[in-house]
Amino acid sequence: CEQWWSSGGSVGCGSMRRVAGSAAANSAAAAFDRSQFDHAVKVLGVAVKARDLGEVIRDLKAWTLRFRTAKNVVAVEGKPDERVLLFDPEQVRTEGDLREKLKDQPQLLERVTSALLRTEEHQVTVGYRELTAEAVLRRLIPESVCEIPSSFEMIGHVAHLNLRDDCLPYKHIIGQVILDKNSAIRTVVNKTGTISNEFRTFPMEIIAGEDDLEVEVREYGALFRFNFAKVYWNSRLQDEHKRLVDRFKAGQVVVDAFCGVGPFAIPAAQRGCVVHASDLNPESYAALIRNLSLNKLSDKVCASNEDARKFIRNTLLEERVTADHFIMNLPATALEFLDAFRGAFPPDLFRSTLQSPPAEDGEAAEPANKRARHGSGQHPLPWVHCYCFSNAENARADIIKRAESALGGSLDDATAEVRLVRNVAPNKNMYCLHFTVPSSIAFAISSAAQAEEP
């Protein structure tokens, strides 16, 4: 899930690089003086009889003081039968403000007025605990740093930041403030490089908190445990995981070629699908096996640890799985793996869709490497759900062109769907291409089969 700085107060204003075991980070961050944020705030107080206090609080609760370090009810010296109710200065500063709040509720206004003895000004001390993280950082970080991070990704107890270069000198302070303002967070990491390996992990460093990246995440009833530094996980895709799985029906066969720790595979199995899932990263595969056990799905998912091309072709040609859906969630390069589908469907298992018309008299026959066999099986050709990136002005045309280049043939333009998933960066969007495998691709005669022809 994505967290915003507003948590924590009501007053607004890969490879793993550890920083000396994170102790140095914690020491540096803890050094800033939180008492520097203490300041006095004037608030409105309403004096009432102690016997009337409960009813008055019920009537005016929405506007009372809610500072963590100051009570909203104070005693009156020398008058044990009186109490003073304090109000939020952001909402009620004067008796006139209070009357304005109640003007549309005449009976309530009359009841409060009859209980009110007097109004008086009080002074309370507001400190670090009352400030939002953004307000704190605005005080601690120079104005020359134009963009203070406004949100972060949360993976279990880990907060994941991607700090700009001008924020790096203050990274430990930023990390400590996140810890202070979010009780569920125990570790803060900053991304130090891009995803540049085949396992989709990225380099990071701990900038605050515990040296513990073994996380537990729940998504729509599924439980996942993994080491965040060793596998790919993106909490911002949790709604996308559900959106795609909702397309599947119980009993259908789903093949996930880049399954990671199981964010698609496990919900699909929970939905009643038969799932085949593979990931090249041994750490992801190991986490998937553990997660299947945690979710009591070990007998519902066939898991493997192999290259996606090999996995796709083995699943279809060797294991002869009659798949209904293929998931390909490797946005950087998944389109390049579509060539694995060419000629990979046994014609006795899958049935053809529309066939190309035969050549008319005088027309040259289609070359052997472009011909498609006829599928006489009973199972329909599957859907493919392929994630990818594009920064093209016409993203649909760009993505379909790249897909067709990898497939070695054309998609049905009427049924192919290109759907925007999310904006990843300026001028970079993530999409999902949905299409059914065309007969001309599914039953294409492979180079090996051509060589055997007389």
Side-chain angles (χ1 to χ4, degrees), residues 362-441:
E363 275 189 346
E366 196 172 26
N369 65 342
K370 294 294 185 181
R371 294 203 306 269
R373 293 170 291 184
H374 179 72
S376 58
Q378 296 301 309
H379 202 80
L381 289 167
W383 280 91
V384 175
H385 313 280
C386 185
Y387 291 89
C388 57
F389 296 128
S390 178
N391 59 4
E393 185 174 344
N394 188 337
R396 175 183 170 84
D398 170 60
I399 291 167
I400 288 180
K401 179 180 178 180
R402 289 154 59 198
E404 290 178 340
S405 175
L407 288 164
S410 298
L411 295 176
D412 181 356
D413 191 61
T415 59
E417 174 191 359
V418 175
R419 178 173 56 83
L420 176 65
V421 175
R422 59 183 291 260
N423 176 254
V424 177
N427 301 315
K428 184 179 182 181
N429 291 323
M430 179 179 176
Y431 296 88
C432 188
L433 168 64
H434 307 273
F435 66 93
T436 52
V437 179
S439 298
S440 58
I441 304 298

Side-chain angles (χ1 to χ4, degrees), residues 313-334:
R313 297 190 71 84
N314 283 351
T315 300
L316 291 167
L317 294 170
E318 302 298 327
E319 299 180 27
R320 293 171 60 81
V321 172
T322 50
D324 297 289
H325 297 272
F326 280 85
I327 305 171
M328 303 183 71
N329 182 27
L330 185 66
T333 59

Side-chain angles (χ1 to χ4, degrees), residues 54-111:
E55 185 176 6
V56 172
I57 288 177
R58 284 194 298 273
D59 290 339
L60 305 178
K61 184 178 180 180
W63 307 299
T64 58
L65 189 68
R66 295 185 182 181
F67 291 170
R68 294 179 182 177
T69 53
K71 296 180 179 180
N72 62 3
V73 175
V74 296
V76 179
E77 187 176 354
K79 297 180 179 180
D81 63 336
E82 291 186 8
R83 298 290 185 273
V84 176
L85 181 62
L86 305 181
F87 288 86
D88 179 358
E90 297 291 328
Q91 300 190 72
V92 176
R93 291 182 178 273
T94 66
E95 183 179 345
D97 291 341
L98 184 57
R99 292 183 179 278
E100 179 68 21
K101 296 283 187 184
L102 301 174
K103 68 178 182 180
D104 296 328
Q105 304 176 68
Q107 291 182 334
L108 179 57
L109 176 59
E110 182 180 353
R111 186 163 69 243

Side-chain angles (χ1 to χ4, degrees), residues 114-174:
S114 64
L116 188 150
L117 300 176
R118 63 186 177 278
T119 61
E120 53 193 46
E121 186 179 272
H122 279 249
Q123 186 167 285
V124 297
T125 299
V126 176
Y128 177 79
R129 291 186 63 191
E130 312 307 331
L131 299 173
T132 63
E134 183 177 9
V136 170
L137 293 175
R138 285 293 176 197
R139 294 268 297 273
L140 291 173
I141 297 177
E143 293 183 2
S144 58
V145 178
C146 299
E147 188 175 336
I148 289 177
S150 59
S151 66
F152 56 86
E153 182 184 4
M154 190 170 172
I155 310 93
H157 67 271
V158 174
H160 167 216
L161 297 174
N162 189 5
L163 295 176
R164 293 163 52 101
D165 289 346
D166 56 355
C167 287
L168 292 180
Y170 313 98
K171 60 188 177 184
H172 301 311
I173 294 292
I174 292 171

Side-chain angles (χ1 to χ4, degrees), residues 193-371:
T194 59
I195 295 176
S196 59
N197 60 56
E198 58 188 356
F199 295 154
R200 295 186 286 176
T201 58
F202 55 84
M204 63 181 78
E205 63 176 345
I206 293 175
I207 59 174
E210 301 174 10
D211 187 353
D212 179 14
L213 295 174
E214 295 290 339
V215 301
E216 180 175 296
V217 178
R218 291 183 182 273
E219 275 194 3
Y220 294 105
L223 176 63
F224 303 91
R225 290 178 183 164
F226 51 88
N227 186 304
F228 181 53
K230 296 180 179 179
V231 304
Y232 173 79
W233 181 271
N234 190 334
S235 293
R236 292 184 173 97
L237 293 177
Q238 63 176 338
D239 290 338
E240 177 61 21
H241 298 151
K242 183 178 186 300
R243 188 177 296 114
L244 183 62
V245 171
D246 282 349
R247 292 185 175 223
F248 308 154
K249 297 178 181 178
Q252 289 189 320
V253 178
V254 175
V255 181
D256 190 349
F258 305 95
C259 69
V261 302
F264 287 112
I266 287 175
Q270 289 177 322
R271 196 175 179 84
C273 298
V274 177
V275 180
H276 296 255
S278 178
D279 199 277
L280 184 63
N281 183 352
E283 294 287 347
S284 294
Y285 171 72
L288 173 65
I289 296 299
R290 291 193 299 270
N291 292 333
L292 291 174
S293 177
L294 285 173
N295 292 277
K296 298 179 172 56
L297 294 169
S298 296
D299 60 339
K300 304 296 184 183
V301 177
C302 180
S304 61
N305 174 210
E306 59 186 318
D307 171 76
R309 280 192 182 86
K310 180 181 177 183
F311 171 66
I312 290 170
R313 297 190 71 84
N314 283 351
T315 300
L316 291 167
L317 294 170
E318 302 298 327
E319 299 180 27
R320 293 171 60 81
V321 172
T322 50
D324 297 289
H325 297 272
F326 280 85
I327 305 171
M328 303 183 71
N329 182 27
L330 185 66
T333 59
L335 289 173
E336 300 170 15
F337 285 81
L338 293 178
D339 60 357
F341 292 110
R342 187 167 182 81
F345 294 81
D348 61 321
L349 294 181
F350 292 88
R351 67 170 179 262
S352 296
T353 51
L354 296 176
Q355 299 295 312
S356 301
E360 297 183 2
D361 291 343
E363 275 189 346
E366 196 172 26
N369 65 342
K370 294 294 185 181
R371 294 203 306 269

